Amino acid sequence: MVQIKSAESKALSQIRPLLLLLADGRVHSGEFLGEALGVSRAAVWKQLQKLEQLGLVVESVKGRGYQLPGGLDLLDAETISSHLSAEAKPLLQQLQVHDQVDSTNARVLSALEAGRGHGQVVLAEQQTAGRGRRGRSWASPFGAGVSVSLGWQFQGGVQLLEGLSLAVGVALARALAVFDVPDVRLKWPNDVWCQGRKLAGVLLELSGDLTDRCAVVVGIGLNMRLPAAAAGTIDQPWIDLEQVRPGISRNRLVAEMLNQLLPLLDTYPAGGFAPWREPWQALDQFAGAEVCLQSAQQRWCGIERGVDKSGALLLETDGDLRTFHGGEISLRPASGGA
């Protein structure tokens, strides 16, 4: 039976009632807010300033009150669960929604290392130490995207998980297709792009015996409504979902992501990457393009020729087809890319 849990951090528990009142995006007077919360207008003012400390923009409308422009679509565990498919729901063991955590991946990884965590999903309105690939940080402003991690245990060793990050990308593309998000593509090995810019990233972390019983955390960060202040910290071309398909419910999107990802994790050891190879290549952002791959030791440039049966990148260089299992690719400068 699935456990559903919404968890408020101590720091945010006092201001969450105010957040819920302002989430509709309308203007509310200080008097109304005070009465609704059972506090003085001075106390309302103090709480409003705490919201701004979260990076939320609270506007003061002269003579009328306060509002969060555009409102806030808060995550809700019950709503997400209600939209899960008949196939996905039995696979979900625990669903947690936090106001604020250090890292959703870290929470799930800790559970897996303690012998729990299989089928666990952790979401957060904000991460204070969210991380991406190669030790990078992941921008996670409050309520401005999707930060979700899934835990899954496997028997048979890590070799069963070859290509899993690419399959996850296909699953995310399929979830976005439900909402008619246009021009979604995949960049090897872990990124989801939209209209030529990064929309989401995937981070896999492994735990346990890599030759026998092991576990994986699938971490996903997806941009939805990034504020300008957070956007300024991103060092690559990016896009958020609100720019290309406004008004998508975060809860409905998360549910559809889980509808795709939970069955994927459940069936992946049996079929591996093979059934996902062609769907991934059909969405390959850089298929046939001149690219450069930067690995830990060397930089290679050539023509991107898709991936092999294990999900490794195929790069044609000087007439030879080379295989790469790690690194990052970018368009060659001569092609006008970054």
Side-chain angles (χ1 to χ4, degrees):
M1 185 175 183
V2 62
Q3 297 179 10
I4 299 174
K5 178 181 178 183
S6 292
E8 300 175 7
S9 70
K10 292 181 179 179
L12 295 177
S13 60
Q14 292 183 334
I15 60 174
R16 188 168 179 84
L18 174 61
L19 198 57
L20 291 171
L21 290 171
L22 294 174
D24 61 9
R26 299 175 182 173
V27 179
H28 297 285
S29 69
E31 181 180 4
F32 166 80
L33 294 172
E35 289 179 356
L37 298 171
V39 299
S40 67
R41 293 185 65 175
V44 169
W45 174 247
K46 289 182 180 179
Q47 291 191 28
L48 288 168
Q49 291 192 304
K50 289 181 180 179
L51 293 185
E52 292 183 343
Q53 291 171 10
L54 292 175
L56 298 172
V57 178
V58 181
E59 286 191 358
S60 176
V61 181
K62 189 173 182 179
R64 297 180 58 200
Y66 308 95
Q67 72 172 147
L68 283 172
L72 201 59
D73 184 14
L74 295 169
L75 296 170
D76 180 76
E78 293 284 353
T79 302
I80 294 168
S81 180
S82 71
H83 289 290
L84 291 179
S85 67
E87 184 181 10
K89 186 168 285 189
L91 302 173
L92 177 65
Q93 300 301 308
Q94 187 178 66
L95 174 61
Q96 297 181 6
V97 176
H98 296 265
D99 281 335
Q100 189 180 74
V101 297
D102 50 355
S103 162
T104 57
N105 259 34
R107 294 295 179 99
V108 176
L109 188 61
S110 177
L112 288 169
E113 290 176 343
R116 308 185 309 275
H118 177 74
Q120 182 182 77
V121 173
V122 175
L123 291 131
E125 294 288 1
Q126 183 178 45
Q127 295 184 100
T128 58
R131 54 186 188 265
R133 294 184 69 238
R134 296 177 173 265
R136 296 189 181 100
S137 62
W138 180 270
S140 180
F142 191 92
V146 173
S147 298
V148 58
S149 297
L150 298 77
W152 209 261
Q153 294 175 343
F154 296 89
Q155 294 281 1
V158 71
Q159 72 274 4
L160 294 177
L161 306 183
E162 284 186 330
L164 178 59
S165 66
L166 281 72
V168 168
V170 175
L172 293 177
R174 290 175 176 175
L176 292 165
V178 172
F179 301 94
D180 297 320
V181 179
D183 196 23
V184 173
R185 309 287 289 175
L186 301 175
K187 177 190 173 188
W188 186 88
N190 294 85
D191 291 347
V192 179
W193 279 34
C194 181
Q195 298 184 351
R197 289 171 285 172
K198 184 172 179 176
L199 174 65
V202 178
L203 175 65
L204 301 189
E205 296 188 85
L206 299 173
S207 173
D209 186 343
L210 301 186
T211 62
D212 185 16
R213 183 178 177 86
C214 65
V216 63
V217 181
V218 178
I220 298 160
L222 183 145
N223 305 324
M224 285 197 75
R225 294 178 63 182
L226 286 183
T233 66
I234 302 175
D235 62 356
Q236 60 183 304
W238 64 274
I239 196 168
D240 66 44
L241 203 51
E242 190 71 9
Q243 293 174 279
V244 292
R245 188 65 75 204
I248 294 176
S249 160
R250 291 170 77 215
N251 290 300
R252 291 291 302 274
L253 176 61
V254 169
E256 192 54 47
M257 289 166 64
L258 297 180
N259 286 341
Q260 299 291 336
L261 291 167
L262 288 166
L264 161 62
L265 291 171
D266 186 48
T267 60
Y268 198 80
F273 182 61
W276 299 91
R277 183 185 180 193
E278 289 303 318
W280 189 92
Q281 296 202 134
L283 295 167
D284 185 359
Q285 172 73 25
F286 290 157
E290 293 188 12
V291 303
C292 289
L293 180 140
Q294 182 67 54
S295 67
Q297 298 83 20
Q298 197 168 352
R299 179 179 173 89
W300 299 85
C301 294
I303 300 174
E304 203 255 65
R305 297 299 188 191
V307 295
D308 70 7
K309 62 182 181 180
S310 71
L313 184 74
L314 299 175
L315 190 64
E316 183 182 331
T317 61
D318 300 322
D320 295 326
L321 196 61
R322 297 177 180 271
T323 302
F324 295 88
H325 293 272
E328 293 197 23
I329 62 173
S330 60
L331 286 177
R332 295 185 71 168
S335 300

